[in-house]
Amino acid sequence: MNRPIQATIVTQNLKDNLNKVKNITNQRFVWAVIKANVYGHSIKSAFEGFSQADGLALLDLHDVHELRKMGWTKRILLLEGIFSEKEIPQIIQNECSIVVHHFLQLEWIEQYLSKLTPFEAEDFKSRVEIWLKLNSGMNRLGFKSGEYGLAYNHLIHLGFKVHHLTHFANADEESVFPTVADQWEIFEHTTQWMDGFRSAANSSAILKFPHVHADWVRPGIMLYGASPTGKYQDIAHIGLKPAMILSSEIIAIQEISKGDTVGYGSRFVAKQNTRVGIVACGYADGYPRHAKDGTPVWVFLPSPSDSQLGVKVGLIGRVSMDMITIDLTAIPQATIGSKVELWGEHVPIDDVAMFSDTVGYELMCAVTQRVQLKVL
Ligand SMILES: *Cc1c(COP(=O)(O)O)cnc(C)c1O
């Protein structure tokens, strides 16, 4: 038998979460954002789970090939655009929409166009839509407001179909500069005389700022059932469903006495006789090494009638490469072989993240190769 750790992806929950986005946004067009191997959930799960999305947005041409091979015929958008002129033939072949965020990318496009026959050039322009990116205050990617019109006119002159996109720096806050309102105003003002779709809202903005939903929304984290703010209570009322369940088993149990310690650095010191469960899951699986004592872990208990019956217990001692240790003192029924959920339905990934000073985003992306991924 394999080591018992496993990440189960519940495709139906991806579908339900996408549906929720459609409802919240009044049926806006949706780019399902699937960068970083679908936030750790696998391309296969996106293909099935987001079959009702209007497009998939990602970063790697490799994933584009895979999706087209699987039979995805709707739009695909490369969120960082092209990284060199060399990628253009594959962009055309795969009918990929691209973000253009810099004059250098424009030059590559123009250079490539100049080498084509008129027929090939028309083919390029009919297959590849351009999403011009405005830097409205995030100061990462995008043309400044003052340059944007130039880039737009240039692309229109070349004969491309051009749409508009920007990204918020503080969509999970009301009043940190630049605010959503600040950035939205710049976006609206800069693009007001231009044709094309507009897209601005990530998960946070979808949830908090309906007036910026525009034509296309770009949800990522909420599709996977986690909170863009890092706090589970911020999404608890919405009914998003966790798409990834990280589970394993107890592989050993130690009974220790008051004063005994557990694991590397002896971080945990027993204040009483303690029953310690050893779980086959460590930082080499993607469990956060910085998780503090008390990080919740769900232990399933044997029950003839309720397969989900269990108890939330706490992590004790430092997370090691292949194992964590948990406090089973309160549940003598737990044994070697008892199933454990690290995050998923009973333990929100946001809660584990909080105990490790990070966010669900990082945890789901960080599940490693050695964890078996099972797509349900
Ligand atoms: C990652 C990303 C998103 C999705 O963000 P979430 O916070 O996961 O919803 C949207 N737009 C762009 C440009 C992104 O890079």
Side-chain angles (χ1 to χ4, degrees):
M1 199 188 122
N2 292 325
R3 193 159 163 266
I5 187 161
Q6 186 171 306
T8 307
I9 310 302
V10 187
T11 308
Q12 187 59 45
N13 289 357
L14 295 173
K15 291 185 183 180
D16 292 350
N17 292 341
L18 175 64
N19 231 333
K20 194 119 257 177
V21 172
K22 278 275 182 189
N23 290 336
I24 292 173
T25 63
N26 257 319
Q27 313 299 317
R28 293 297 203 284
F29 293 121
V30 175
W31 288 119
V33 178
I34 62 164
K35 58 201 181 193
N37 193 29
V38 192
Y39 288 49
H41 293 64
S42 81
I43 291 290
K44 178 169 181 272
S45 70
F47 179 78
E48 290 166 19
F50 302 141
S51 60
Q52 298 305 307
D54 301 287
L56 302 174
L58 42 68
L59 306 178
D60 294 304
L61 252 177
H62 177 81
D63 295 338
V64 176
H65 282 298
E66 194 159 332
L67 284 161
R68 290 298 188 217
K69 251 191 354 225
M70 292 170 105
W72 183 267
T73 54
K74 289 186 265 187
R75 283 176 166 92
I76 300 179
L77 174 63
L78 285 175
L79 286 167
E80 292 179 344
I82 49 175
F83 303 99
S84 76
E85 190 190 324
K86 287 202 194 80
E87 291 182 318
I88 297 179
Q90 299 171 69
I91 301 292
I92 299 171
Q93 191 199 342
N94 287 294
E95 291 201 36
C96 200
S97 301
I98 53 174
V99 164
V100 169
H101 62 79
H102 197 281
F103 281 113
L104 194 56
Q105 292 180 321
L106 259 180
E107 273 175 42
W108 294 333
I109 289 169
E110 206 170 6
Q111 257 168 46
Y112 189 78
L113 264 180
S114 71
K115 298 172 193 162
L116 300 179
T117 65
F119 177 81
E120 288 166 338
E122 282 318 306
D123 187 51
F124 180 6
K125 289 180 264 184
S126 71
R127 284 165 168 258
V128 177
E129 290 185 344
I130 292 185
W131 286 75
L132 205 54
K133 185 157 194 178
L134 176 70
N135 172 11
S136 56
M138 176 85 166
N139 291 322
R140 229 172 37 178
L141 300 184
F143 295 90
K144 286 244 163 65
S145 183
E147 313 163 329
Y148 193 88
L150 199 67
Y152 173 78
N153 281 334
H154 200 81
L155 284 163
I156 292 293
H157 180 74
L158 290 173
F160 282 97
K161 190 163 214 108
V162 182
H163 307 294
H164 313 277
L165 161 154
T166 197
H167 195 56
F168 295 121
N170 298 302
D172 50 351
E173 301 273 349
E174 302 283 343
S175 55
V176 177
F177 174 82
T179 65
V180 167
D182 296 332
Q183 289 192 254
W184 180 249
E185 192 186 319
I186 292 171
F187 187 46
E188 272 210 302
H189 183 256
T190 308
T191 62
Q192 64 185 345
W193 53 273
M194 302 172 187
D195 288 332
F197 291 127
R198 279 154 187 73
S199 173
N202 56 5
S203 297
S204 258
I206 288 169
L207 294 171
K208 285 189 84 161
F209 301 98
H211 68 286
V212 305
H213 286 170
D215 302 306
W216 285 74
V217 291
R218 301 194 307 272
I221 194 76
M222 67 186 295
L223 294 173
Y224 309 100
S227 171
T229 64
K231 294 196 202 88
Y232 179 69
Q233 67 259 35
D234 291 342
I235 58 161
H237 60 288
I238 296 164
L240 295 167
K241 299 176 182 170
M244 178 192 287
I245 299 163
L246 186 66
S247 60
S248 187
E249 288 179 12
I250 295 173
I251 58 167
I253 291 179
Q254 302 288 341
E255 309 276 355
I256 64 171
S257 310
K258 182 179 174 183
D260 288 346
T261 66
V262 174
Y264 288 118
S266 299
R267 183 177 80 183
F268 177 80
V269 183
K271 294 192 189 69
Q272 57 181 14
N273 291 348
T274 301
R275 193 159 183 264
V276 185
I278 322 302
V279 178
C281 171
Y283 62 77
D285 301 297
Y287 196 86
R289 202 185 79 91
H290 295 289
K292 299 181 185 72
D293 286 354
T295 304
V297 175
W298 183 267
V299 180
F300 291 97
L301 296 177
S303 159
S305 58
D306 181 2
S307 67
Q308 296 297 303
L309 184 76
V311 175
K312 208 179 268 184
V313 303
L315 180 87
I316 51 177
R318 206 181 272 172
V319 171
S320 45
M321 184 183 279
D322 311 311
M323 285 170 263
I324 58 169
T325 37
I326 61 178
D327 187 351
L328 299 178
T329 310
I331 40 171
Q333 317 93 297
T335 58
I336 291 179
S338 288
K339 297 233 177 310
V340 164
E341 179 188 295
L342 289 318
W343 62 66
E345 295 181 305
H346 303 282
V347 175
I349 194 169
D350 296 309
D351 290 355
V352 179
M354 198 116 79
F355 271 89
S356 325
D357 298 320
T358 182
V359 285
Y361 293 84
E362 188 180 11
L363 298 188
M364 51 179 79
C365 294
V367 172
T368 59
Q369 283 279 327
R370 79 176 191 188
V371 176
Q372 283 188 69
L373 207 91
K374 186 171 149 197
V375 179
L376 287 189

